[in-house]
Amino acid sequence: VLNRDFAQAATPNTRVHVVARADLTSSRRQVIARSFTIPREIVHFTANYTCTGDEILLHLTHPCSTDASEAIRSSDRSYFTRKLAPAAFRGLLGAGADTNPISTWALNPRKATSRAVNFFNDPDICWSLAFYTHSGVGSAVDVEDIFWTSIGFEPALLTEKTVQLYKAHPYRTIPVDDLPRQAIPHRLLKYSSSAGIVTQMYTYALGQFQGSPQMIDQGPGYIICPVLEGKAQDQFWIFNAQDISRGPICKLGHPEL
């Protein structure tokens, strides 16, 4: 009852605050933060270390109509069947109710202006975009290729509650009545931040779940991902970062993994 009565939709726009790195010193007790509003929700993002002129480049995804904090409960009903969620689904994350675009935004703290540089939204692959990695994570780098995880879409995990919360989303891409009734698989995407397009992808089999990818900056570069598949043994899959479309070049498993 509490879940139904108190659940709220995420706000459709995101406030971003920018503070000058040079102002963050031990001698300063107050700093000025520049505030920007970016259309659509934001959870995961990365940024270029170097400013382009006076602009800061943010690379991000928009989890529109998608709420990773909402696990399926015993009181939830399937949107498509109207039946109570089976016991096996309880505790799992519910499916999102729309696509999740990828974008790059330029913020100018001096002029207090912002603009969209790139915007990518493919209804076949942009579902529940979450984890990411890129070359030089944690270092002072400018980001070109970003490897995003698309969790896909499972109709059986879409709840009536989620649809009701987000059916009037101001940036809706897929009309509620047109939401897919067939499962969309997990994918690993290679996204060019400069071109604003997905240049490569790897599609997992239905039932396979990829966790957070990590970049290994050695040789041509490698992406390592944990992959789960039902009752099968969990594995780590390694991809050549230059050609993820060919699939994993190595799969690592262990009886105790």
Side-chain angles (χ1 to χ4, degrees), residues 45-86:
F45 75 93
T46 187
N48 279 14
Y49 186 84
T50 305
C51 291
T52 303
D54 290 332
E55 292 184 323
I56 301 169
L57 290 183
L58 300 184
H59 311 290
L60 47 93
T61 58
H62 303 279
C64 298
S65 302
T66 303
D67 194 339
S69 67
E70 289 292 336
I72 295 177
R73 296 169 170 81
S74 59
S75 59
D76 283 323
R77 291 183 179 273
S78 165
Y79 172 68
F80 291 112
T81 68
R82 303 299 195 258
K83 295 180 180 179
L84 286 171

Side-chain angles (χ1 to χ4, degrees), residues 210-221:
Q210 180 217 294
S212 179
Q214 299 296 323
M215 184 81 183
I216 301 173
D217 282 317
Q218 294 182 3

